[in-house]
């Protein structure tokens, strides 16, 4: 295989990876916690786009529960984004 052909293949692969990354940045995954009281949307690239909190989830006597629900929903959204990225890159 000559070097020129190898370089062309490398360029094509780079273009494919860039296109896949661009596509992932436009896709949205959604995760929730607390029975839907906290909902997080993130891009397929893992960027958190929104966090929605049901007002009933806000209990000033148990703010730690709300913090845990937000953390769980964000973590799940990022995990889903990572899975989506892995499936697209393969």
């Amino acid at each position: 295989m000559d070097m020129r052909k190898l370089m062309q293949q490398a360029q094509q692969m780079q273009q494919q990876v860039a296109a896949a990354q661009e596509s992932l940045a436009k896709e949205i995954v959604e995760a929730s916690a607390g029975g839907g009281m906290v909902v997080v949307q993130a891009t397929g690239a893992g960027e958190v786009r929104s966090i929605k909190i049901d007002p009933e989830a806000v209990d000033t006597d148990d703010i730690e529960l709300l913090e845990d629900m937000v953390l769980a929903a964000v973590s799940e959204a990022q995990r889903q984004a990572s899975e989506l990225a892995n499936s697209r890159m393969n």
Side-chain angles (χ1 to χ4, degrees):
M1 180 179 286
D2 69 21
M3 187 59 94
R4 185 178 179 140
K5 186 172 183 175
L6 187 61
M7 292 298 290
Q8 286 175 337
Q9 287 179 338
Q11 272 186 323
Q12 287 175 341
M13 286 180 68
Q14 284 179 324
Q15 289 170 348
Q16 290 170 344
V17 167
Q21 289 173 333
E22 187 177 317
S23 174
L24 283 170
K26 294 177 184 175
E27 293 194 47
I28 300 292
V29 295
E30 185 173 285
S32 65
M37 295 187 103
V38 175
V39 179
V40 173
Q41 289 186 339
T43 68
E47 180 183 340
V48 174
R49 287 297 178 118
S50 72
I51 299 175
K52 303 255 191 244
I53 300 173
D54 186 318
E56 290 184 26
V58 181
D59 179 357
T60 56
D61 294 328
D62 193 5
I63 202 72
E64 287 179 6
L65 177 62
L66 177 57
E67 291 170 341
D68 289 344
M69 287 189 290
V70 170
L71 180 59
V74 169
S75 295
E76 177 61 16
Q78 289 177 328
R79 185 194 66 74
Q80 288 181 20
S82 179
E83 275 187 12
L84 179 63
N86 286 337
S87 72
R88 294 293 162 82
M89 292 300 184
N90 288 335

